[in-house]
Amino acid sequence: MELEARGVPTVTLATQYFEALARITAKGKRLPDLPLTILPHPLNPLPDGQIREAVRKQAGRMVEALTRVKQPIKV
């Protein structure tokens, strides 16, 4: 989140279980528009192929978030 606050595009990964916590934390850090990629929970028991597919489904959104131009916030 520190990089995002400095204007460096990032993507934060969280599983469904931690989505609310990630959003609350982002708001608390004054980053309400922090790009989040939400993955299935739990990941541990899933086969590698299913995890890769879940990430692939979000790849376009992640690339978009990483290539955007953003103004840094004042901290």
Side-chain angles (χ1 to χ4, degrees):
M1 288 187 194
E2 180 65 30
L3 288 173
E4 190 74 30
R6 291 176 185 223
V8 178
T10 66
V11 175
T12 299
L13 303 176
T15 64
Q16 294 162 329
Y17 185 83
F18 294 102
E19 180 178 3
L21 177 61
R23 293 191 190 283
I24 289 168
T25 302
K27 280 184 181 180
K29 298 276 188 178
R30 299 186 312 163
L31 296 167
D33 298 324
L34 181 74
L36 293 175
T37 296
I38 307 302
L39 300 172
H41 185 87
L43 289 173
N44 289 347
L46 296 178
D48 289 349
Q50 280 185 313
I51 295 171
R52 280 191 208 93
E53 183 58 28
V55 172
R56 269 190 213 108
K57 287 180 182 179
Q58 300 294 331
R61 292 181 67 221
M62 289 188 282
V63 169
E64 182 180 313
L66 292 170
T67 57
R68 75 193 188 289
V69 176
K70 183 176 182 230
Q71 296 297 318
I73 63 169
K74 304 274 186 196
V75 282

